[in-house]
């Protein structure tokens, strides 16, 4: 009786493996250096002043975009897909929030993090309680926020991440990314890489 082996990488000697590994390592280092260059370019992006007075619904009542900074200089917003007609949040966004680690270091780096969705607050709170989450989550239900930041497009929802910067009481938009641009942004350093101050 013959047993068919599963598909697998080539089997080689330790010396052959080491040669291949060193070749790959050179490419990995090249990728890291390129990632650092892109991060530096992102930090130098110009920013746009937010003049529209967005008001979000939260457990504490109505809050402005400025309020969401909680005294910090930078604010990261994850645009969580949750259409007002849905009873449950997007499963991909749910996985993203479940993957988030300890983000307490963000506050040390003068950065706040919140979730914002278009569904009414009552639906967000019910889903948040069911999932056992503690992340701050606000409703943009009766604002143009989702449309203005291109996460409600042609009546449909998409996920994304936006970064804002505060000087005095003025708020500025510095960066947004969508879809695959949000992949791997579930730890402190990757999130900080999206901000003007970076990892500091």
């Amino acid at each position: 009786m013959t047993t068919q082996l599963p598909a697998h990488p080539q089997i080689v000697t330790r010396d052959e493996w080491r040669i291949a590994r060193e070749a790959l390592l050179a490419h990995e280092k090249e990728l890291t250096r390129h990632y650092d260059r892109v991060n530096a370019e992102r930090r130098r992006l110009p920013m746009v002043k937010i003049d529209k007075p967005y008001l979000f619904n939260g457990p504490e009542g109505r809050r402005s975009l400025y309020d969401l900074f909680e005294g910090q200089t930078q604010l990261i917003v994850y645009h969580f897909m949750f259409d007002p007609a849905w009873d449950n949040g997007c499963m991909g966004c749910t996985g993203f929030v479940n993957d988030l680690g300890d983000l307490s270091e963000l506050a040390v780096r003068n950065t706040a993090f919140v979730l914002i969705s278009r569904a009414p607050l009552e639906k967000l709170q019910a889903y948040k309680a069911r999932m056992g989450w503690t992340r701050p989550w606000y409703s943009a239900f009766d604002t143009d926020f989702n449309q203005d930041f291109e996460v409600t497009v042609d009546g449909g929802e998409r996920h994304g991440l936006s970064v804002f910067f505060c000087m005095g009481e003025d708020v500025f938009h510095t960066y947004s990314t969508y879809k695959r641009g949000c992949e791997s942004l579930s730890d402190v350093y990757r999130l900080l890489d999206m901000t003007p101050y970076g990892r500091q």
Side-chain angles (χ1 to χ4, degrees):
M1 177 176 163
T2 59
T3 302
Q4 185 171 353
L5 295 175
H8 58 80
Q10 180 185 6
I11 299 172
V12 296
T13 66
R14 174 59 60 178
D15 288 341
E16 289 171 320
W17 177 88
R18 192 172 304 283
I19 291 170
R21 177 66 189 99
E22 288 176 357
L24 175 60
L25 179 60
H27 294 151
E28 289 175 335
K29 289 186 175 185
E30 178 185 349
L31 181 61
T32 299
R33 286 190 289 269
H34 182 68
Y35 182 75
D36 288 343
R37 288 193 297 271
V38 170
N39 287 339
E41 187 177 354
R42 185 185 298 110
R43 289 193 298 273
R44 290 191 291 268
L45 269 179
M47 58 187 187
V48 179
K49 186 177 179 182
I50 305 296
D51 291 319
K52 190 175 285 189
Y54 300 108
L55 287 175
F56 305 97
N57 290 316
E60 320 87 346
R62 303 281 274 175
R63 305 201 73 195
S64 68
L65 188 57
Y66 171 79
D67 293 331
L68 303 188
F69 281 80
E70 296 287 355
Q72 306 287 16
T73 300
Q74 302 183 130
L75 171 68
I76 299 172
V77 171
Y78 181 70
H79 302 282
F80 190 112
M81 287 174 58
F82 204 139
D83 187 277
W86 300 349
D87 292 322
N88 296 297
C90 158
M91 291 310 298
C93 294
T94 298
F96 176 86
V97 176
N98 282 335
D99 286 345
L100 289 171
D102 178 4
L103 300 184
S104 59
E105 185 68 18
L106 288 178
V108 177
R109 310 296 178 96
N110 214 5
T111 305
F113 178 90
V114 301
L115 312 173
I116 295 181
S117 299
R118 197 162 63 96
L121 180 63
E122 296 74 21
K123 288 190 174 185
L124 303 184
Q125 288 182 309
Y127 194 68
K128 178 179 176 178
R130 194 157 78 246
M131 299 305 297
W133 293 340
T134 59
R135 310 286 176 193
W137 200 356
Y138 296 92
S139 170
F141 177 66
D142 53 1
T143 76
D144 298 325
F145 185 77
N146 269 36
Q147 291 85 352
D148 291 348
F149 289 92
E150 302 177 23
V151 288
T152 297
V153 182
D154 298 326
E157 303 295 303
R158 67 174 177 166
H159 68 279
L161 184 137
S162 293
V163 178
F164 301 90
F165 193 84
C166 185
M167 290 197 301
E169 294 189 4
D170 292 331
V171 174
F172 301 84
H173 175 225
T174 66
Y175 180 73
S176 285
T177 188
Y178 308 95
K179 298 183 178 179
R180 290 196 64 188
C182 299
E183 288 182 358
S184 304
L185 298 183
S186 56
D187 69 81
V188 167
Y189 288 119
R190 293 293 184 179
L191 287 169
L192 286 171
D193 285 341
M194 303 299 111
T195 68
Y197 283 170
R199 302 187 185 192
Q200 304 168 46

